[in-house]
Amino acid sequence: MPRYMLDTNMCIYLMKNQPEEVAQRFAQCYVGDVVMSAITYAELEYGVTAASDPARERTNLASLIEDIPVVGFDAPAGVAYGPIRQATRDRKTDHIDKLIAAHAASLGVTVVTNNEKDFARYPGVTTENWLGASAR
């Protein structure tokens, strides 16, 4: 059972920077502890398509998903989306983050993000930032 779900910004950071502090956190996890939502994967696929060097970004993304399984957005994630969207209905932005938050809530996992402030608004969602203060 997964314990952590990487947010899109964390995946992009990993693809571009491969920071030591994140590598150390991964080393503390078992295989399968860390996943990414299919929503995040879709965002990353868009990034590959829009990149100035799509071939390089495709290689980076392929390498990332070798280590981090993609989990499908399913019916329980859809059910979790209702309360999250309702609680933040005044915010007309962050729709992708709301979907990722709902997916994480449905699995009972912690979202690993460098965007803790926005995710703090979503009920039932816990976050961690593996990048530390240096990346803020």
Side-chain angles (χ1 to χ4, degrees):
M1 181 75 177
R3 295 174 41 208
Y4 301 102
M5 179 175 283
L6 300 183
D7 181 28
T8 307
N9 67 23
M10 187 62 63
C11 289
I12 291 168
Y13 203 85
L14 285 169
M15 288 169 57
K16 298 200 179 294
N17 300 303
Q18 299 173 353
E20 179 62 29
E21 59 266 44
V22 175
Q24 291 172 0
R25 287 289 301 179
F26 272 117
Q28 298 171 6
C29 296
Y30 293 103
V31 174
D33 277 356
V34 181
V35 298
M36 83 171 68
S37 172
I39 303 298
T40 293
Y41 183 69
E43 281 198 293
L44 296 173
E45 281 290 342
Y46 167 73
V48 167
T49 302
S52 59
D53 186 354
R56 182 176 55 105
E57 295 304 321
R58 168 74 48 217
T59 300
N60 290 344
L61 180 55
S63 177
L64 186 68
I65 64 171
E66 281 180 16
D67 297 325
I68 303 167
V70 176
V71 179
F73 190 93
D74 57 7
V79 170
Y81 179 72
I84 286 174
R85 176 108 185 242
Q86 176 67 19
T88 57
R89 68 186 175 278
D90 57 321
R91 293 187 49 89
K92 302 299 181 195
T93 60
D94 306 331
H95 294 296
I96 299 291
D97 285 348
K98 291 175 187 180
L99 289 166
I100 294 167
H103 199 177
S106 75
L107 294 173
V109 299
T110 298
V111 176
V112 178
T113 183
N114 196 28
N115 187 17
E116 294 168 291
K117 182 178 143 197
D118 284 348
F119 278 89
R121 298 181 181 118
Y122 307 134
V125 177
T126 58
T127 62
E128 286 185 16
N129 185 344
W130 291 0
L131 293 172
S134 63
R136 292 186 186 142

